[in-house]
Amino acid sequence: LVCIKNSKLHVLSHLQSIIAEICDCLILNCNQAAITLTNHLFENVIKQVLILWDSKGRCFSNEQLMENTFKEEINKYDDKDLEPNLNQCRNKKIITKEECKRLKDLKNKFRIPFSHASYTKLFADVKMPIWKVSLSKPNEVKEEMVNISMIPLLNTLAQVKFANTNAARYFLEIYALINDLDKKLLDLYPETKLFVKCQQINQRIL
């Protein structure tokens, strides 16, 4: 995680601060916060990639105001939900059909349940045994299978366990996606790509 926190992206470097914060959350065992921020990173990177992809390497120029450089692309994608943006990435062949399906699975597993606090989606029909004791009959213990999503105390406790189990794995998968997309976007900026290659060669020599 320390290596990821200090790693460098090239075209998507403006997302590095979010990545660093997620690493900090995971290092400090703040796993629910890590998932929540990874959800933000997930949706953010898909929008950023579409905006940059459609701009075809367009850079700032003296001929127009800076804020108008990506205005058309931002207006097109900024208010769109994650799923239609994923479909756009697939249609533009930025990601494969299989990758799109996997990312939609991640959206349904993490993005929607956590961001909307929807425990019926997060835990669905997951059940666990509970032993009930009546104060009037303390010697009688009854076992009952309960749906976790239907018990407020249980679903918040279960969310902690879910996050502890899945937060790092989820983040690493999204980070791997970002790395791949960053390399694809480099093709839009030949000069930057050449500079990166020169840096890599120099590092090998040193």
Side-chain angles (χ1 to χ4, degrees):
L1 288 172
V2 174
C3 291
I4 291 176
K5 180 179 177 179
N6 295 319
S7 64
K8 291 183 179 179
L9 297 169
H10 303 291
V11 183
L12 296 170
S13 57
H14 50 290
L15 298 177
Q16 197 66 51
S17 62
I18 304 173
I19 292 170
E21 285 192 26
I22 297 171
C23 290
D24 287 340
C25 287
L26 291 170
I27 290 168
L28 294 171
N29 205 31
C30 299
N31 295 308
Q32 295 179 88
I35 287 182
T36 303
L37 197 50
T38 302
N39 284 337
H40 170 75
L41 178 65
F42 182 11
E43 187 152 4
N44 197 341
V45 70
I46 295 302
K47 288 183 178 181
Q48 295 295 323
V49 167
L50 284 168
I51 289 166
L52 293 171
W53 190 269
D54 280 13
S55 70
K56 296 179 172 60
R58 188 186 310 125
C59 297
F60 298 120
S61 71
N62 294 326
E63 281 69 43
Q64 65 174 334
L65 295 173
M66 289 181 68
E67 66 182 48
N68 292 333
T69 306
F70 303 101
K71 184 176 181 180
E72 181 181 344
E73 291 80 16
I74 289 173
N75 288 339
K76 183 176 180 181
Y77 296 114
D78 188 59
D79 64 345
K80 296 292 190 301
D81 291 335
L82 181 55
E83 183 150 344
N85 280 343
L86 286 172
N87 291 334
Q88 285 286 346
C89 284
R90 181 197 61 206
N91 294 338
K92 295 174 185 293
K93 302 189 185 305
I94 302 172
I95 58 176
T96 65
K97 182 179 179 180
E98 291 73 23
E99 287 172 332
C100 186
K101 182 179 183 303
R102 174 58 182 162
L103 292 174
K104 287 181 180 180
D105 289 342
L106 291 176
K107 172 187 73 74
N108 292 331
K109 183 176 182 180
F110 295 99
R111 171 71 176 82
I112 294 176
F114 258 77
S115 295
H116 297 285
S118 179
Y119 294 111
T120 54
K121 291 180 179 176
L122 186 60
F123 299 116
D125 297 321
V126 176
K127 293 188 177 185
M128 67 174 291
I130 292 291
W131 287 268
K132 298 195 309 184
V133 178
S134 171
L135 292 176
S136 60
K137 298 179 180 179
N139 294 325
E140 292 185 12
V141 180
K142 295 181 179 180
E143 181 180 344
E144 180 181 335
M145 293 298 294
V146 298
N147 188 322
I148 291 176
S149 65
M150 295 293 114
I151 310 294
L153 173 62
L154 291 181
N155 57 44
T156 50
L157 291 174
Q159 179 175 286
V160 174
K161 187 173 182 179
F162 176 89
N164 291 342
T165 302
N166 295 287
R169 191 182 313 156
Y170 175 41
F171 167 66
L172 290 173
E173 189 163 354
I174 296 301
Y175 181 74
L177 168 73
I178 292 171
N179 255 328
D180 289 342
L181 294 173
D182 191 61
K183 291 173 184 176
K184 287 185 178 181
L185 288 172
L186 262 181
D187 290 333
L188 301 176
Y189 304 91
E191 293 181 359
T192 303
K193 187 174 184 178
L194 179 60
F195 176 74
V196 170
K197 283 187 176 180
C198 290
Q199 276 190 321
Q200 292 170 344
I201 291 171
N202 289 335
Q203 287 172 355
R204 292 193 194 103
I205 294 173
L206 296 174

